[in-house]
Amino acid sequence: MFYTVVLSVANGNAFLTAFPLLLPILGTMGGMGAMLVFTNDRTKGVFEYLIAYGIPPRRIFLNVIETALVMLSVVDVATLSVGIGLRIALGRGIPFQFVLDIVVYSVPMSYGTAAFTSAAGMFWTSLSSPRQGMNSPLGLLPTLGIAPGVLVLVIALAVGPALAVYVAVSAVVVVVIAAVALLALGSRLLPRERLLSPA
Amino acid sequence: MPSSAVRSSGPASRAADRFRISCRGVSSGYLGHRVLQDVSFTIDQPSIYVVLGPNGAGKTTLFRTLAGILRPYEGEVTIGDEDIDRQRSRDHLHYLSHVDGIPDGLQVREALEFYARVERAEASDVDRVLDLLEIQELSDRYLSQLSAGQRKRVSIARVFLREREIYLLDEPTANLDPKLAREIRTIILGLSRDKIVLYSSHNLFEAREIGRHVLVLRGGRLVLFDRIENLRSAHFVIGVRVLEPTDALSEFTLQGDYYLRELSGPQEVPALLRDLETRGVRIREVREMENPLEDLFE
C-alpha cells in the first residue's frame, strides 16, 4: 500500500492515497487505548495494589504494551478485512505489490508504532503530574505516533518510487528497534515509584 | 519518646511470632528522595495500631514500604523472619491504599471477582463481602457511576475477600459517612482480636476510639510508639453541659453548650461533680474536651 501511494502520488493519481498509512495510524490509536489505562491508574491505584500483592512492576509495564498490541491486532484484522473486501468488491483484485506493502510496511510499522508510542507515552506520563492537553501523553501520542509514518512517506516521495521500498523497510527497522530498546529499558526508565499515585 | 527501636508490649507466643512485622532501620522514599528516616519497630501482638502524623510525615510511605511496594534504601522489613520481598511474606498481608485501587471500567461484581482471582479467594467470597459491606444492590453498577463513599466501600470489601494475619489500612474511613465509618470501625475492631491492624487516620477522635497503640511520625521519623492509654494531655479539660445555667458555674468558661474547667487530671472529676451537685447544678453531660492525641501534633 505504501508503495502504491508513492506510485499513485508520483503518477498524479490521488485515488489510493488515503489507505496506506491507515495501519500505522491505527497503531497509534492502539497505543492510546493502553495509555488510557496507564494514565487513569495514576489516580486509581490499581497498579499499586497489584505490586503489593507481588506482581513485579516490569510485568505491569509489559502487560500494558501487550494490551496495546492485542487491541491493535483486532483493529488491524478488521481494517484489512474491510480494505481487502473493498478492493475485491471494486474489482481491483489483490496484486502482489499490495500484499508486499502490507507485509513489509503496514503491519510491522503498525505494531512497531503501537509498542513505541505506548512505551514512550508511559515514560512521558510518569515524568509529569496527571494533566490534560498536550502535556498529557494522550495529547502527545498522536504526534509521536503519526509523525514517523508521514515523515517516511515524505522522504519516499522525495527519493522517488525506485527507492521508496528501501525507505519503508529502513523506517520499519528503525521503529521496531526503538520499540524493542524502550521495552528492554522499561524497568530502568520506569521505576516502581512512577507507577504509584501521589502520596 | 524518641524511638529508634520499639516493640508492642505483651507476651509473645510462638503463634504470634509467626505474624510479627518488623521494621529495622528503614529509610525509604521516592526516586532517591528519602521520606522515612531510620524507622524501627516490631509489632507482634494482635491489636489496632494507629499511625498518626501531619501531612507529609510519611504515613503513606510507611504503609507502602511495609507492603513491599517501595523498597527501603536502608534497613529491612520482615514478616516473621522473612523479607517482605518474598511472596510468602506478602501472603500474610492485606494492603488498603489511600486511593481506591479499583478500575472504573468494571462493574462492582466484576471488579471483586478480579480481585478474588488475584488473591486466590473463592467465588463465594465475593457474595460474602458484598453482604458484609452492604453493597449487594451496587453489584451490577459500573464503578465509574458510584459516589466516593460507595467506591470506598467496594475498595474496603476487597480487603475482606480473604483472611490474612496483617492488615495495612491507609485512611480506610476517608470519604465515608459517619454511619458507615462507624460500621467499618466495628468490623476492624472485630479483626483486631486476632489480627495485627495498622491504621492511619487524620481523625484524632476516631483514632482514640479505635486504637490501642499509636505510632507517631514526624518528618519521616518515628517519634512515638506507645499504648494510647499511656498518653496524657498536657491540659486536662472537661466540659459540663447543664439543664439550666446557674451562678454555681461562674468559675467555668462557657464554650458553645459546654462549661469548661481545667483540672490537674481525671482523678479530680468525681469530686468536682459532687461539688456541682451539692450546689444544685443539674448536669446533663460531662465529657473530656481535650484529646491527648492532639498534643502529638504540637
Side-chain angles (χ1 to χ4, degrees), chain A residues 26-69:
Chain A
L26 290 173
T28 306
M29 292 173 66
M32 287 178 71
M35 275 306 304
L36 269 173
V37 174
F38 184 82
T39 308
N40 193 38
D41 192 73
R42 296 197 75 202
T43 55
K44 299 298 174 200
V46 178
F47 293 162
E48 183 172 342
Y49 164 85
L50 294 175
I51 296 170
Y53 285 81
I55 296 177
R58 180 173 170 76
R59 189 172 148 200
I60 293 171
F61 169 74
L62 292 176
N63 280 355
V64 173
I65 308 280
E66 284 171 24
T67 305
L69 298 183

Side-chain angles (χ1 to χ4, degrees), chain B residues 245-275:
Chain B
T246 73
D247 292 341
L249 295 165
S250 58
E251 296 170 4
F252 287 66
T253 306
L254 184 61
Q255 181 181 314
D257 290 340
Y258 290 90
Y259 290 88
L260 307 186
R261 176 85 176 265
E262 185 172 341
L263 303 176
S264 60
Q267 70 279 1
E268 290 187 1
V269 174
L272 176 71
L273 296 182
R274 277 196 302 275
D275 179 50

Side-chain angles (χ1 to χ4, degrees), chain B:
Chain B
M1 181 181 77
S3 175
S4 59
V6 287
R7 65 188 288 141
S8 58
S9 57
S13 67
R14 290 187 63 167
D17 268 350
R18 211 167 60 228
F19 308 130
R20 183 182 62 225
I21 183 166
S22 291
C23 221
R24 281 189 282 271
V26 166
S27 298
S28 73
Y30 305 90
L31 302 169
H33 170 67
R34 288 175 188 239
V35 176
L36 289 184
Q37 305 270 2
D38 192 24
V39 172
S40 296
F41 62 85
T42 295
I43 293 174
D44 56 13
Q45 296 298 306
S47 188
I48 295 180
Y49 299 80
V50 179
V51 179
L52 295 176
N55 288 334
K59 300 186 292 296
T60 294
T61 305
L62 175 65
F63 278 88
R64 284 173 169 169
T65 307
L66 294 176
I69 296 167
L70 293 174
R71 289 193 169 132
Y73 302 136
E74 288 171 8
E76 60 175 357
V77 175
T78 54
I79 308 291
D81 293 324
E82 292 197 276
D83 192 272
I84 188 62
D85 262 354
R86 302 285 296 273
Q87 185 61 45
R88 216 161 41 179
S89 296
R90 291 172 188 265
D91 287 344
H92 290 299
L93 195 141
H94 264 308
Y95 170 66
L96 179 71
S97 161
H98 68 293
V99 289
D100 294 333
I102 47 177
D104 276 342
L106 300 179
Q107 293 174 334
V108 169
R109 177 179 288 280
E110 288 174 335
L112 289 172
E113 285 170 350
F114 164 72
Y115 288 116
R117 282 198 299 278
V118 173
E119 303 198 20
R120 300 184 295 281
E122 303 293 329
S124 59
D125 289 321
V126 172
D127 285 311
R128 180 177 55 75
V129 297
L130 284 170
D131 286 337
L132 180 70
L133 273 295
E134 298 177 13
I135 48 176
Q136 195 67 260
E137 74 280 7
L138 302 177
S139 63
D140 295 329
R141 298 264 300 275
Y142 281 95
L143 289 154
S144 56
Q145 299 172 329
L146 304 184
S147 68
Q150 289 171 326
R151 292 175 64 87
K152 193 75 182 181
R153 274 203 274 180
V154 176
S155 184
I156 292 171
R158 192 186 68 193
V159 171
F160 295 103
L161 280 169
R162 194 172 164 198
E163 195 170 310
R164 300 195 185 212
E165 288 75 35
I166 298 167
Y167 291 75
L168 306 175
L169 309 178
D170 194 0
E171 300 185 32
T173 55
N175 293 328
L176 294 181
D177 63 64
K179 177 178 176 290
L180 185 61
R182 191 167 55 246
E183 288 169 7
I184 298 299
R185 286 197 293 271
T186 304
I187 294 172
I188 292 170
L189 273 170
L191 272 181
S192 67
R193 280 194 289 270
D194 57 354
K195 311 290 182 195
I196 291 171
V197 180
L198 274 91
Y199 181 107
S200 79
S201 176
H202 282 292
N203 184 332
L204 298 183
F205 287 95
E206 176 184 272
R208 194 180 180 196
E209 177 189 331
I210 194 171
R212 297 293 171 268
H213 301 76
V214 62
L215 291 88
V216 179
L217 290 169
R218 197 175 295 144
R221 294 184 181 276
L222 181 65
V223 295
L224 179 78
F225 180 9
D226 203 349
R227 296 181 69 86
I228 286 184
E229 66 197 29
N230 292 341
L231 304 180
R232 292 282 180 268
S233 293
H235 306 282
F236 185 78
V237 178
I238 65 160
V240 179
R241 204 145 67 114
V242 297
L243 291 175
E244 293 167 7
T246 73
D247 292 341
L249 295 165
S250 58
E251 296 170 4
F252 287 66
T253 306
L254 184 61
Q255 181 181 314
D257 290 340
Y258 290 90
Y259 290 88
L260 307 186
R261 176 85 176 265
E262 185 172 341
L263 303 176
S264 60
Q267 70 279 1
E268 290 187 1
V269 174
L272 176 71
L273 296 182
R274 277 196 302 275
D275 179 50
L276 289 175
E277 276 184 355
T278 55
R279 292 159 70 182
V281 178
R282 298 169 65 197
I283 298 171
R284 182 175 175 180
E285 181 195 353
V286 179
R287 61 177 287 195
E288 186 181 344
M289 302 300 285
E290 300 278 331
N291 184 338
L293 295 177
E294 287 176 18
D295 293 342
L296 300 174
F297 287 85
E298 291 174 356

